Amino acid sequence: QIINCLESAELAGVRSEIISVPQQLTSLQLWEEIVKRHPTLAAIQDQVVFAIRQEYVILGDQLLVLQSGDEVAIIPPISGG
């Protein structure tokens, strides 16, 4: 399964890349696959969410069913007050 993965550019050093993952996996498993490629992203795990097909998904046991070409945006922590 190939998905487009937009990441926090400062930590990962890339703005996007294409990765191959199983069609069905949990959001936490998807995060673990991304962190294998970009270990520096592990620092924001407790604060990050995904946007998949324009819907927010928190990291956890939620099962994702991805299609080839799906874009997964990693929404980094947002600062502000």
Coordinates of all heavy atoms in Angstrom, one line a residue:
Q1 N 0.9 -1.2 0.0 CA 0.0 0.0 0.0 C 0.9 1.2 0.0 O 1.8 1.3 0.8 CB -0.9 0.0 1.2 CG -2.0 1.0 1.3 CD -3.0 0.8 0.2 OE1 -3.1 -0.3 -0.4 NE2 -3.8 1.8 -0.1
I2 N 0.7 2.1 -0.9 CA 1.5 3.3 -1.0 C 0.6 4.6 -0.6 O -0.5 4.7 -1.1 CB 2.1 3.5 -2.4 CG1 3.0 2.4 -2.7 CG2 2.8 4.8 -2.5 CD1 3.6 2.4 -4.1
I3 N 1.2 5.4 0.3 CA 0.5 6.6 0.7 C 1.4 7.8 0.6 O 2.6 7.6 0.6 CB -0.1 6.5 2.1 CG1 1.0 6.3 3.1 CG2 -1.2 5.4 2.2 CD1 0.6 6.3 4.5
N4 N 0.9 8.9 0.4 CA 1.6 10.1 0.4 C 1.7 10.6 1.9 O 0.7 10.6 2.6 CB 0.9 11.2 -0.4 CG 1.7 11.8 -1.4 OD1 2.9 11.6 -1.5 ND2 1.1 12.5 -2.3
C5 N 2.8 10.9 2.4 CA 3.0 11.3 3.8 C 3.6 12.6 3.9 O 4.8 12.8 3.6 CB 3.9 10.2 4.4 SG 4.0 10.3 6.2
L6 N 2.8 13.6 4.4 CA 3.3 14.9 4.6 C 3.7 15.0 6.1 O 3.0 14.6 7.0 CB 2.2 16.0 4.3 CG 1.7 16.0 2.9 CD1 0.6 17.0 2.8 CD2 2.8 16.3 1.9
E7 N 4.9 15.5 6.4 CA 5.4 15.4 7.7 C 5.9 16.8 8.2 O 6.0 17.7 7.4 CB 6.6 14.4 7.8 CG 6.2 13.1 7.4 CD 7.3 12.1 7.4 OE1 8.4 12.4 7.6 OE2 7.0 10.9 7.1
S8 N 6.1 16.9 9.5 CA 6.7 18.1 10.1 C 8.1 18.2 9.5 O 9.0 17.5 9.9 CB 6.7 17.9 11.6 OG 7.3 19.1 12.2
A9 N 8.3 19.2 8.6 CA 9.5 19.4 7.9 C 10.7 19.6 8.7 O 11.8 19.1 8.4 CB 9.3 20.5 6.8
E10 N 10.5 20.4 9.8 CA 11.7 20.7 10.6 C 12.3 19.5 11.3 O 13.5 19.3 11.4 CB 11.3 21.7 11.7 CG 10.7 23.0 11.2 CD 9.3 22.9 10.8 OE1 8.5 22.1 11.4 OE2 8.9 23.7 9.9
L11 N 11.4 18.5 11.8 CA 11.9 17.4 12.5 C 12.4 16.3 11.5 O 13.4 15.6 11.7 CB 10.9 16.8 13.4 CG 10.6 17.6 14.7 CD1 9.4 17.1 15.4 CD2 11.9 17.7 15.5
A12 N 11.6 16.0 10.5 CA 11.9 14.9 9.5 C 12.9 15.3 8.5 O 13.5 14.4 7.9 CB 10.6 14.5 8.9
G13 N 13.0 16.6 8.1 CA 13.9 17.0 7.1 C 13.3 16.8 5.7 O 14.0 16.9 4.7
V14 N 12.0 16.4 5.6 CA 11.4 16.3 4.3 C 10.0 16.9 4.4 O 9.4 16.9 5.5 CB 11.3 14.8 3.8 CG1 12.6 14.2 3.6 CG2 10.5 14.0 4.8
R15 N 9.5 17.4 3.3 CA 8.1 17.9 3.3 C 7.1 16.8 2.9 O 5.9 16.9 3.4 CB 8.0 19.1 2.4 CG 8.6 20.3 2.9 CD 8.1 21.6 2.4 NE 6.7 21.8 2.3 CZ 5.9 22.2 3.3 NH1 6.4 22.4 4.5 NH2 4.6 22.3 3.2
S16 N 7.5 15.9 2.1 CA 6.6 14.8 1.8 C 7.4 13.6 1.2 O 8.5 13.8 0.8 CB 5.5 15.2 0.7 OG 6.1 15.5 -0.5
E17 N 6.8 12.5 1.3 CA 7.4 11.3 0.7 C 6.3 10.2 0.5 O 5.3 10.3 1.1 CB 8.6 10.7 1.6 CG 8.1 10.1 2.9 CD 9.3 9.6 3.7 OE1 10.2 9.0 3.2 OE2 9.2 9.7 4.9
I18 N 6.6 9.3 -0.3 CA 5.7 8.2 -0.5 C 6.3 7.0 0.2 O 7.4 6.6 0.1 CB 5.6 7.9 -2.0 CG1 4.9 9.1 -2.7 CG2 4.7 6.6 -2.2 CD1 4.9 9.0 -4.2
I19 N 5.4 6.3 1.1 CA 5.8 5.1 1.8 C 4.8 4.0 1.5 O 3.6 4.3 1.2 CB 6.0 5.4 3.3 CG1 4.6 5.8 3.9 CG2 7.0 6.5 3.5 CD1 4.7 5.8 5.5
S20 N 5.2 2.8 1.7 CA 4.4 1.7 1.5 C 4.0 1.1 2.9 O 4.9 0.8 3.7 CB 5.1 0.6 0.7 OG 4.3 -0.5 0.5
V21 N 2.7 0.9 3.2 CA 2.3 0.4 4.5 C 1.1 -0.6 4.2 O 0.6 -0.6 3.1 CB 1.8 1.4 5.5 CG1 3.0 2.4 5.8 CG2 0.7 2.2 4.9
P22 N 0.8 -1.5 5.1 CA -0.4 -2.4 4.9 C -1.6 -1.5 4.7 O -1.7 -0.4 5.2 CB -0.4 -3.1 6.3 CG 0.9 -3.1 6.8 CD 1.5 -1.7 6.4
Q23 N -2.6 -2.1 4.0 CA -3.8 -1.4 3.7 C -4.6 -1.2 5.0 O -5.2 -0.1 5.2 CB -4.7 -2.2 2.7 CG -6.0 -1.5 2.4 CD -6.8 -2.2 1.4 OE1 -6.5 -3.4 1.0 NE2 -7.8 -1.5 0.8
Q24 N -4.6 -2.1 5.9 CA -5.3 -2.0 7.2 C -4.2 -2.0 8.3 O -3.4 -2.9 8.5 CB -6.3 -3.1 7.4 CG -7.4 -3.0 6.4 CD -8.5 -4.0 6.8 OE1 -8.6 -4.5 7.9 NE2 -9.4 -4.3 5.8
L25 N -4.3 -0.9 9.1 CA -3.4 -0.9 10.3 C -4.0 0.2 11.2 O -4.9 1.0 10.8 CB -2.0 -0.5 10.0 CG -1.6 0.8 9.5 CD1 -0.1 1.0 9.4 CD2 -2.2 1.2 8.2
T26 N -3.6 0.2 12.5 CA -4.1 1.2 13.4 C -3.3 2.5 13.2 O -2.2 2.5 12.6 CB -3.9 0.8 14.9 OG1 -2.5 0.8 15.2 CG2 -4.6 -0.5 15.1
S27 N -3.9 3.6 13.7 CA -3.2 4.9 13.5 C -1.9 4.9 14.2 O -0.9 5.5 13.8 CB -4.1 6.0 14.0 OG -4.5 5.8 15.3
L28 N -1.8 4.2 15.4 CA -0.5 4.1 16.1 C 0.5 3.3 15.3 O 1.7 3.6 15.3 CB -0.7 3.5 17.5 CG 0.5 3.5 18.4 CD1 1.1 4.8 18.6 CD2 0.2 2.8 19.7
Q29 N 0.1 2.2 14.7 CA 1.0 1.4 13.8 C 1.5 2.3 12.6 O 2.7 2.2 12.3 CB 0.3 0.2 13.3 CG 0.1 -0.9 14.4 CD -0.8 -2.0 13.9 OE1 -1.7 -1.8 13.1 NE2 -0.5 -3.2 14.4
L30 N 0.7 3.1 12.1 CA 1.1 4.0 11.0 C 2.1 4.9 11.5 O 3.2 5.2 10.9 CB -0.1 4.7 10.4 CG 0.2 5.8 9.3 CD1 1.0 5.1 8.2 CD2 -1.1 6.4 8.9
W31 N 1.9 5.5 12.7 CA 2.9 6.4 13.3 C 4.2 5.7 13.5 O 5.3 6.3 13.2 CB 2.3 6.9 14.6 CG 3.3 7.8 15.3 CD1 4.0 7.5 16.5 CD2 3.8 9.1 15.0 NE1 4.8 8.5 16.8 CE2 4.7 9.5 15.9 CE3 3.5 10.0 13.9 CZ2 5.4 10.8 15.9 CZ3 4.1 11.2 13.9 CH2 5.0 11.6 14.8
E32 N 4.2 4.5 14.0 CA 5.4 3.7 14.2 C 6.2 3.5 12.9 O 7.4 3.5 12.9 CB 5.1 2.4 14.9 CG 4.6 2.6 16.4 CD 4.0 1.4 17.0 OE1 3.8 0.4 16.3 OE2 3.8 1.4 18.2
E33 N 5.5 3.2 11.8 CA 6.1 3.1 10.5 C 6.8 4.4 10.1 O 7.9 4.3 9.6 CB 5.1 2.7 9.4 CG 4.6 1.2 9.5 CD 5.7 0.2 9.3 OE1 6.5 0.5 8.4 OE2 5.8 -0.8 10.0
I34 N 6.2 5.5 10.4 CA 6.8 6.8 10.0 C 8.0 7.1 10.9 O 9.0 7.5 10.4 CB 5.7 7.9 10.1 CG1 4.6 7.7 9.0 CG2 6.3 9.3 10.0 CD1 3.4 8.5 9.2
V35 N 7.9 6.8 12.2 CA 9.0 7.0 13.1 C 10.2 6.2 12.8 O 11.3 6.6 13.0 CB 8.5 6.9 14.6 CG1 9.7 6.9 15.5 CG2 7.6 8.0 14.9
K36 N 10.0 5.0 12.2 CA 11.1 4.1 11.8 C 11.9 4.8 10.8 O 13.2 4.7 10.7 CB 10.6 2.8 11.2 CG 10.1 1.8 12.2 CD 9.7 0.5 11.4 CE 8.9 -0.4 12.4 NZ 8.4 -1.6 11.6
R37 N 11.3 5.6 9.9 CA 12.0 6.3 8.8 C 12.6 7.6 9.3 O 13.5 8.1 8.8 CB 11.0 6.6 7.7 CG 10.6 5.3 6.9 CD 9.4 5.5 6.0 NE 9.1 4.4 5.2 CZ 8.5 3.3 5.7 NH1 8.1 3.2 6.9 NH2 8.2 2.3 4.9
H38 N 11.9 8.2 10.3 CA 12.3 9.6 10.8 C 12.2 9.6 12.4 O 11.2 10.1 12.9 CB 11.3 10.6 10.2 CG 11.3 10.6 8.8 ND1 12.4 11.2 8.0 CD2 10.4 10.2 7.9 CE1 12.1 11.0 6.7 NE2 10.9 10.4 6.6
P39 N 13.2 9.0 13.0 CA 13.2 8.8 14.5 C 13.0 10.1 15.2 O 12.5 10.1 16.4 CB 14.5 8.1 14.8 CG 14.9 7.5 13.5 CD 14.4 8.3 12.4
T40 N 13.4 11.2 14.7 CA 13.3 12.5 15.4 C 11.9 12.9 15.6 O 11.6 13.7 16.5 CB 14.0 13.6 14.6 OG1 13.5 13.7 13.3 CG2 15.5 13.4 14.6
L41 N 10.9 12.3 14.8 CA 9.5 12.6 15.0 C 9.0 12.0 16.3 O 7.9 12.4 16.8 CB 8.7 12.1 13.8 CG 8.9 12.9 12.5 CD1 8.1 12.2 11.4 CD2 8.5 14.3 12.7
A42 N 9.6 11.0 16.9 CA 9.2 10.4 18.1 C 9.0 11.4 19.2 O 8.1 11.3 20.1 CB 10.2 9.3 18.6
A43 N 9.7 12.5 19.2 CA 9.6 13.6 20.2 C 8.2 14.2 20.3 O 7.9 14.7 21.3 CB 10.7 14.6 20.0
I44 N 7.5 14.2 19.2 CA 6.2 14.9 19.2 C 5.0 13.9 19.3 O 3.8 14.3 19.1 CB 6.0 15.8 18.0 CG1 6.1 15.0 16.7 CG2 7.0 16.9 18.1 CD1 5.7 15.8 15.5
Q45 N 5.2 12.6 19.5 CA 4.2 11.6 19.5 C 3.0 11.9 20.3 O 1.9 11.7 19.9 CB 4.7 10.2 19.9 CG 3.7 9.2 19.9 CD 4.2 7.8 20.1 OE1 5.3 7.5 19.7 NE2 3.4 6.9 20.6
D46 N 3.2 12.5 21.5 CA 2.1 12.7 22.4 C 1.2 13.9 22.0 O 0.2 14.2 22.6 CB 2.6 12.9 23.9 CG 3.2 11.7 24.4 OD1 2.9 10.6 24.0 OD2 4.0 11.8 25.4
Q47 N 1.7 14.7 21.0 CA 1.0 15.9 20.6 C 0.6 15.9 19.2 O -0.1 16.9 18.7 CB 2.0 17.1 20.8 CG 2.5 17.2 22.2 CD 3.8 18.0 22.3 OE1 4.0 18.9 21.5 NE2 4.7 17.7 23.2
V48 N 0.8 14.9 18.4 CA 0.6 14.9 17.0 C -0.7 14.2 16.7 O -1.2 13.4 17.4 CB 1.8 14.2 16.2 CG1 1.7 12.7 16.4 CG2 1.8 14.6 14.8
V49 N -1.4 14.7 15.6 CA -2.5 14.0 15.0 C -2.3 13.9 13.5 O -1.5 14.6 12.9 CB -3.9 14.7 15.3 CG1 -4.2 14.8 16.8 CG2 -3.9 16.1 14.7
F50 N -3.0 12.9 12.9 CA -3.0 12.8 11.5 C -4.2 13.5 10.9 O -5.3 13.6 11.5 CB -3.1 11.3 11.0 CG -1.9 10.5 11.3 CD1 -2.1 9.3 11.9 CD2 -0.7 10.9 11.0 CE1 -0.9 8.5 12.2 CE2 0.4 10.1 11.2 CZ 0.3 8.9 11.8
A51 N -4.1 13.9 9.6 CA -5.3 14.2 8.8 C -5.3 13.3 7.6 O -4.4 13.2 6.8 CB -5.2 15.7 8.3
I52 N -6.3 12.4 7.6 CA -6.4 11.4 6.5 C -7.7 11.7 5.8 O -8.8 11.7 6.4 CB -6.4 10.0 7.1 CG1 -5.1 9.8 7.9 CG2 -6.5 8.9 6.0 CD1 -5.0 8.5 8.6
R53 N -7.6 11.9 4.5 CA -8.8 12.2 3.7 C -9.6 13.4 4.3 O -10.8 13.4 4.4 CB -9.7 11.0 3.4 CG -9.0 10.0 2.5 CD -10.0 8.8 2.2 NE -10.3 8.0 3.3 CZ -9.6 7.0 3.8 NH1 -8.5 6.7 3.2 NH2 -10.0 6.3 4.8
Q54 N -8.8 14.4 4.8 CA -9.3 15.6 5.4 C -10.1 15.4 6.7 O -11.0 16.2 7.1 CB -10.2 16.4 4.4 CG -9.4 16.7 3.1 CD -10.2 17.5 2.1 OE1 -11.4 17.5 2.2 NE2 -9.5 18.1 1.2
E55 N -9.8 14.3 7.4 CA -10.4 14.0 8.7 C -9.3 13.8 9.7 O -8.4 13.1 9.4 CB -11.3 12.8 8.7 CG -12.6 13.0 7.9 CD -13.5 11.8 8.0 OE1 -13.5 11.0 9.0 OE2 -14.3 11.6 7.1
Y56 N -9.5 14.4 10.9 CA -8.5 14.3 11.9 C -8.6 12.9 12.6 O -9.6 12.4 12.8 CB -8.6 15.3 13.0 CG -8.2 16.7 12.5 CD1 -9.1 17.7 12.4 CD2 -6.9 17.0 12.2 CE1 -8.8 19.0 11.9 CE2 -6.5 18.2 11.7 CZ -7.4 19.2 11.6 OH -7.1 20.5 11.1
V57 N -7.4 12.3 12.8 CA -7.3 11.0 13.5 C -6.2 11.1 14.5 O -5.1 11.4 14.2 CB -6.9 9.9 12.4 CG1 -6.7 8.6 13.1 CG2 -7.9 9.8 11.3
I58 N -6.6 10.8 15.8 CA -5.6 10.7 16.8 C -4.9 9.4 16.8 O -5.4 8.4 16.3 CB -6.2 11.0 18.2 CG1 -7.2 10.0 18.6 CG2 -6.8 12.4 18.3 CD1 -7.7 10.0 20.0
L59 N -3.7 9.4 17.4 CA -2.9 8.1 17.5 C -3.5 7.2 18.5 O -3.9 7.6 19.6 CB -1.5 8.4 17.9 CG -0.7 9.3 17.0 CD1 0.8 9.4 17.4 CD2 -0.7 8.9 15.5
G60 N -3.7 5.9 18.1 CA -4.3 5.0 19.0 C -4.7 3.7 18.3 O -4.1 3.3 17.3
D61 N -5.7 3.0 18.8 CA -6.1 1.7 18.3 C -7.1 1.8 17.1 O -7.6 0.7 16.7 CB -6.7 0.8 19.4 CG -5.6 0.5 20.5 OD1 -4.4 0.5 20.1 OD2 -6.0 0.3 21.6
Q62 N -7.5 3.0 16.7 CA -8.4 3.1 15.6 C -7.9 2.5 14.3 O -6.8 2.8 13.9 CB -8.7 4.6 15.4 CG -9.7 4.8 14.2 CD -10.0 6.3 14.0 OE1 -9.6 7.1 14.8 NE2 -10.7 6.6 13.0
L63 N -8.7 1.6 13.8 CA -8.3 0.9 12.5 C -8.4 1.8 11.3 O -9.5 2.4 11.2 CB -9.1 -0.4 12.3 CG -8.6 -1.3 11.1 CD1 -7.2 -1.8 11.3 CD2 -9.6 -2.4 10.9
L64 N -7.4 1.9 10.6 CA -7.4 2.7 9.3 C -7.5 1.8 8.1 O -6.8 0.7 8.1 CB -6.2 3.6 9.2 CG -5.9 4.5 10.4 CD1 -4.5 5.2 10.1 CD2 -7.0 5.5 10.5
V65 N -8.3 2.1 7.1 CA -8.3 1.4 5.9 C -7.8 2.3 4.8 O -8.6 3.2 4.4 CB -9.7 0.8 5.6 CG1 -9.6 0.0 4.2 CG2 -10.1 -0.2 6.7
L66 N -6.6 2.2 4.4 CA -6.0 3.2 3.5 C -6.1 2.6 2.0 O -6.1 1.4 1.8 CB -4.5 3.4 3.8 CG -4.3 3.9 5.2 CD1 -2.8 3.9 5.5 CD2 -4.9 5.3 5.4
Q67 N -6.3 3.6 1.1 CA -6.3 3.3 -0.3 C -5.0 3.8 -0.9 O -4.4 4.8 -0.4 CB -7.5 3.9 -1.0 CG -8.8 3.5 -0.4 CD -9.1 2.0 -0.5 OE1 -8.8 1.4 -1.5 NE2 -9.6 1.4 0.6
S68 N -4.6 3.2 -2.0 CA -3.4 3.7 -2.7 C -3.6 5.1 -3.1 O -4.6 5.5 -3.6 CB -3.1 2.8 -3.9 OG -1.9 3.2 -4.6
G69 N -2.6 6.0 -2.8 CA -2.7 7.4 -3.1 C -3.2 8.2 -2.0 O -3.3 9.5 -2.1
D70 N -3.7 7.6 -0.9 CA -4.2 8.4 0.2 C -3.1 9.3 0.8 O -2.0 8.9 0.9 CB -4.7 7.6 1.4 CG -6.1 7.1 1.2 OD1 -6.8 7.5 0.2 OD2 -6.6 6.2 2.0
E71 N -3.5 10.5 1.1 CA -2.5 11.5 1.7 C -2.7 11.5 3.2 O -3.9 11.6 3.6 CB -2.7 12.9 1.1 CG -1.7 13.9 1.6 CD -1.9 15.2 1.0 OE1 -1.3 15.4 -0.1 OE2 -2.6 16.0 1.6
V72 N -1.6 11.3 3.9 CA -1.7 11.4 5.4 C -0.9 12.6 5.8 O 0.3 12.6 5.6 CB -1.1 10.1 6.0 CG1 -1.0 10.2 7.5 CG2 -1.9 8.8 5.5
A73 N -1.5 13.6 6.3 CA -0.8 14.7 6.8 C -0.6 14.5 8.3 O -1.4 14.1 9.1 CB -1.6 16.0 6.6
I74 N 0.7 14.9 8.7 CA 1.0 14.8 10.1 C 0.9 16.3 10.6 O 1.6 17.2 10.2 CB 2.4 14.3 10.4 CG1 2.5 12.9 9.9 CG2 2.8 14.4 11.8 CD1 3.9 12.3 9.9
I75 N -0.1 16.4 11.5 CA -0.3 17.8 12.1 C 0.5 17.9 13.4 O 0.2 17.2 14.4 CB -1.8 18.0 12.4 CG1 -2.7 17.5 11.2 CG2 -2.1 19.4 12.9 CD1 -2.5 18.3 10.0
P76 N 1.6 18.7 13.3 CA 2.4 18.8 14.5 C 1.8 19.7 15.6 O 0.7 20.3 15.3 CB 3.6 19.6 13.9 CG 3.1 20.3 12.8 CD 2.0 19.5 12.2
P77 N 2.4 19.7 16.8 CA 1.8 20.5 17.8 C 1.7 21.9 17.4 O 2.5 22.5 16.7 CB 2.8 20.4 19.0 CG 3.7 19.2 18.6 CD 3.6 19.0 17.1
I78 N 0.6 22.6 17.8 CA 0.4 24.0 17.4 C 0.6 24.8 18.7 O 0.0 24.6 19.7 CB -1.1 24.2 16.9 CG1 -1.3 23.3 15.7 CG2 -1.4 25.6 16.6 CD1 -2.7 23.3 15.1
S79 N 1.5 25.8 18.6 CA 1.8 26.6 19.7 C 0.8 27.8 19.7 O 0.3 28.1 18.7 CB 3.2 27.1 19.7 OG 3.5 27.9 18.5
G80 N 0.6 28.3 20.8 CA -0.3 29.5 20.9 C -0.8 29.5 22.3 O -0.6 28.7 23.2
G81 N -1.7 30.5 22.6 CA -2.2 30.6 23.9 C -3.5 31.3 24.0 O -4.2 31.6 23.0

